[in-house]
Amino acid sequence: IQVIKILMANGVMANINQMVDFDTAAIVASELGFEATLEVEEEVKETETGEIPFWRQIIANEDSSKLVNRPPVVTILGHVDHGKTTLLDAIRHSEVAAGEAGGITQHIGAYQVEHKGKLITFLDTPGHAAFTAMRARGAQGADIVILVVAANDGIMPQTREAIAHARAARVPIIVALNKIDRPDANPDFVKKQLADLDLVPDEWDGNTMVVPVSAKQKTGIEDLLEAILLVSESMDIKANPSSNQIIGTVIEAELDHGKGVMATLLVQNGSLEVGDVILAGKAVGKLRAMFDFHGKKIRKAGPSSPVQVMGLSDVPEAGELFQVYSSEKEARLIAEERKAQVQQKSINAPKASLESLFNRIQAGETKELRLIIKADVQGSLEPITTALNEIEKGDVNINVLYSETGDIGENDVNLASASKAIIVGFNVQADSNAKRLAEVEGVSIRLYEIIYRLTEDVEKALKGMLEPEF
Ligand code: GDP
């Protein structure tokens, strides 16, 4: 608490879980009469789910001599009205993929642009819903997150949420500092806010690229594309285009009354071809036709390509994985099994709850109790985090993904589901959509009005004595 007071006195609005940079820590230390020394540690970023998406596991098991670079897949996140849609449009119009000029560009949920001879795939469904849907199904598809922050507005609740998402999925963040054209833009202020969230701009010797852009005036777009290529070059973005393990993610899908099921797929390994039999969630089918994002008919699509396909029996859900099968019969059989499982699941919804979490802790599957905390007022959040930090927890770690004020909404449930976290509410309610979703996803929401009851429950959960709450 004393450290926080000193931080506040120095203009840093810190909370108990927050990381501060070395210089700040040194100032606080000296005020407390200590001298700080910097110890360089191996960077440990494994804070959250730690699960590797299935398609990434498949690529990891490929013969490394067969792996080639694939275009990075980029998703844009940020607070509402900070300019995600405008930015996606500006990028789309900045560079039309080579050789495709003049094609009809339609929105199919993803597109590609070419910059300096290299392709970049953008997921065209801004907002967290699509991103979390993917993560919740273990199919995290993006390699890089572009975090849009309006330079006049700064960090807002959904910005924090987006950072939590990206970190949980261990996807690097590039910041697009948008609306830089506005007279009230205050880029330095926003950079400072970012640094306080441990996204220290590279110009301040940090490790986060912060690119000033104006989506509206279409300035800075080239720099942003450049930054994406730079970051992706430092990563291992590869796949085996000739693999017989052809796998990817459903980006979106709908029933068209003339054409049947139209699904946009992102190929992640192998190459998808017309005539392939695919299983996507519970939907099966032989691909009758395939189109690129210009609406042009194609026969084959390699890793990181977004394609629209026709031929599926049912509408798969966004975020579900698809895989190519050699036998249509086998694919149908698995689809039937999945349908049966879903019915079973809805009868006894699994609880991603405190109780089941304890079982996972016991089984050594996790050493972390992940919490999302929602409270009525800012003033409640701090004593809650303090109390949680004082709990005797043995070798289990309590990880607060984020804590903020406001009622519990669908976004919170989505993140909890994807991160196997529990939602703890203090003097707040869960809205009806959130309740319904929590039921379906088996996410535990626990509401409290007294802090010690909350900490008591967490303590019990850690000891495995908690009674289920119905
Ligand atoms: P989203 O909710 O994040 O998708 O935000 P939108 O792309 O819909 O943009 C919200 C509003 O901000 C719209 O009125 C845009 O015209 C405006 N806007 C977006 N980018 C910029 C920009 O670079 N400069 C200015 N001045 N306005 C912008």
Side-chain angles (χ1 to χ4, degrees):
I1 298 293
Q2 206 177 350
V3 171
I4 290 180
K5 277 191 195 143
I6 296 175
L7 284 170
M8 297 247 184
N10 282 288
V12 180
M13 293 298 154
N15 67 45
I16 202 101
N17 283 320
Q18 190 170 325
M19 308 260 284
V20 295
D21 60 24
F22 174 72
D23 292 342
T24 314
I27 293 170
V28 175
S30 75
E31 290 203 19
L32 289 169
F34 299 103
E35 194 191 324
T37 52
L38 185 61
E39 203 172 288
V40 180
E41 261 182 60
E42 269 291 288
E43 203 177 348
V44 186
K45 282 271 177 198
E46 206 168 314
T47 48
E48 319 247 344
T49 56
E51 284 138 30
I52 303 167
F54 185 55
W55 65 273
R56 286 204 196 269
Q57 290 174 32
I58 289 204
I59 296 176
N61 289 330
E62 291 281 355
D63 174 355
S64 60
S65 69
K66 301 267 169 61
L67 293 179
V68 297
N69 287 332
R70 59 177 175 80
V73 177
V74 179
T75 191
I76 298 194
L77 300 178
H79 195 71
V80 64
D81 275 348
H82 279 198
K84 297 178 293 291
T85 315
T86 315
L87 184 62
L88 275 162
D89 282 343
I91 296 168
R92 174 196 288 274
H93 291 115
S94 69
E95 324 216 357
V96 179
E100 309 283 0
I104 308 154
T105 304
Q106 44 172 346
H107 281 266
I108 64 163
Y111 65 81
Q112 290 187 306
V113 295
E114 196 180 300
H115 182 70
K116 300 221 169 124
K118 297 211 167 90
L119 286 171
I120 303 171
T121 303
F122 283 89
L123 299 181
D124 199 3
T125 35
H128 301 172
F131 191 66
T132 2
M134 279 197 185
R135 278 200 53 222
R137 294 183 178 80
Q140 207 303 105
D143 301 300
I144 295 173
V145 162
I146 301 288
L147 180 69
V148 178
V149 186
N152 60 322
D153 212 15
I155 306 288
M156 298 302 271
Q158 285 170 290
T159 323
R160 289 176 197 276
E161 232 176 82
I163 296 170
H165 279 303
R167 288 199 170 141
R170 287 199 243 136
V171 176
I173 296 172
I174 296 174
V175 177
L177 196 50
N178 192 32
K179 306 202 185 184
I180 210 80
D181 59 290
R182 282 182 62 124
D184 57 347
N186 191 348
D188 279 331
F189 174 73
V190 182
K191 282 178 202 167
K192 178 147 187 332
Q193 286 188 315
L194 288 164
D196 288 344
L197 294 171
D198 207 26
L199 292 172
V200 183
D202 54 346
E203 64 186 287
W204 297 356
D205 289 333
N207 50 12
T208 306
M209 302 196 74
V210 178
V211 186
V213 299
S214 165
K216 198 172 183 175
Q217 299 186 341
K218 299 190 171 56
T219 55
I221 308 296
E222 295 253 314
D223 297 337
L224 188 61
L225 298 176
E226 194 70 34
I228 293 168
L229 290 183
L230 262 173
V231 170
S232 61
E233 271 158 24
S234 70
M235 298 167 65
D236 216 17
I237 304 186
K238 293 193 154 85
N240 174 7
S242 54
S243 175
N244 54 9
Q245 297 249 50
I246 305 153
I247 189 165
T249 302
V250 176
I251 302 296
E252 59 180 51
E254 59 172 20
L255 186 63
D256 179 300
H257 287 293
K259 299 175 193 152
V261 177
M262 298 293 286
T264 298
L265 308 178
L266 174 70
V267 183
Q268 288 166 310
N269 194 49
S271 295
L272 190 63
E273 277 184 80
V274 172
D276 280 348
V277 172
I278 70 164
L279 173 64
K282 296 169 288 297
V284 248
K286 198 178 184 120
L287 300 186
R288 279 190 282 126
M290 194 151 77
F291 307 89
D292 68 9
F293 68 94
H294 294 287
K296 202 177 93 183
K297 249 189 161 142
I298 51 171
R299 295 205 59 83
K300 195 168 174 172
S304 295
S305 310
V307 287
Q308 209 181 27
V309 301
M310 282 167 71
L312 282 173
S313 58
D314 298 278
V315 182
E317 279 180 63
E320 278 182 316
L321 282 177
F322 76 83
Q323 251 184 302
V324 171
Y325 280 76
S326 49
S327 139
E328 194 162 347
K329 202 169 152 197
E330 190 191 350
R332 284 197 192 286
L333 216 65
I334 299 172
E336 288 309 319
E337 274 171 24
R338 284 186 184 168
K339 280 182 192 166
Q341 273 170 8
V342 169
Q343 277 160 9
Q344 189 61 34
K345 188 173 155 189
S346 60
I347 294 168
N348 45 11
K351 291 268 177 274
S353 55
L354 279 172
E355 306 86 72
S356 75
L357 226 131
F358 175 73
N359 294 335
R360 293 180 58 226
I361 291 171
Q362 284 267 293
E365 285 172 42
T366 182
K367 284 225 173 307
E368 218 175 57
L369 175 61
R370 295 186 198 108
L371 299 176
I372 290 172
I373 303 173
K374 302 287 293 232
D376 51 346
V377 289
Q378 196 68 33
S380 311
L381 287 173
E382 197 195 304
I384 291 173
T385 6
T386 309
L388 285 174
N389 275 301
E390 280 163 2
I391 290 178
E392 188 64 51
K393 27 188 189 281
D395 56 356
V396 179
N397 189 25
I398 296 181
N399 182 359
V400 178
L401 296 188
Y402 61 84
S403 53
E404 60 183 31
T405 56
D407 277 338
I408 297 160
E410 270 182 304
N411 275 340
D412 300 314
V413 178
N414 267 322
L415 181 63
S417 167
S419 309
K420 297 207 169 61
I422 287 157
I423 303 175
V424 171
F426 185 76
N427 284 333
V428 294
Q429 297 293 319
D431 68 35
S432 57
N433 288 338
K435 278 188 198 150
R436 203 173 316 122
L437 189 63
E439 189 73 27
V440 175
E441 300 281 335
V443 167
S444 192
I445 300 179
R446 303 188 79 101
L447 304 174
Y448 299 91
E449 281 160 11
I450 302 169
I451 293 184
Y452 90 83
R453 289 240 184 265
L454 187 164
T455 49
E456 206 174 61
D457 268 7
V458 170
E459 222 160 338
K460 279 186 190 159
L462 293 176
K463 297 202 180 100
M465 301 180 324
L466 194 72
E467 295 297 318
E469 190 169 87
F470 295 105

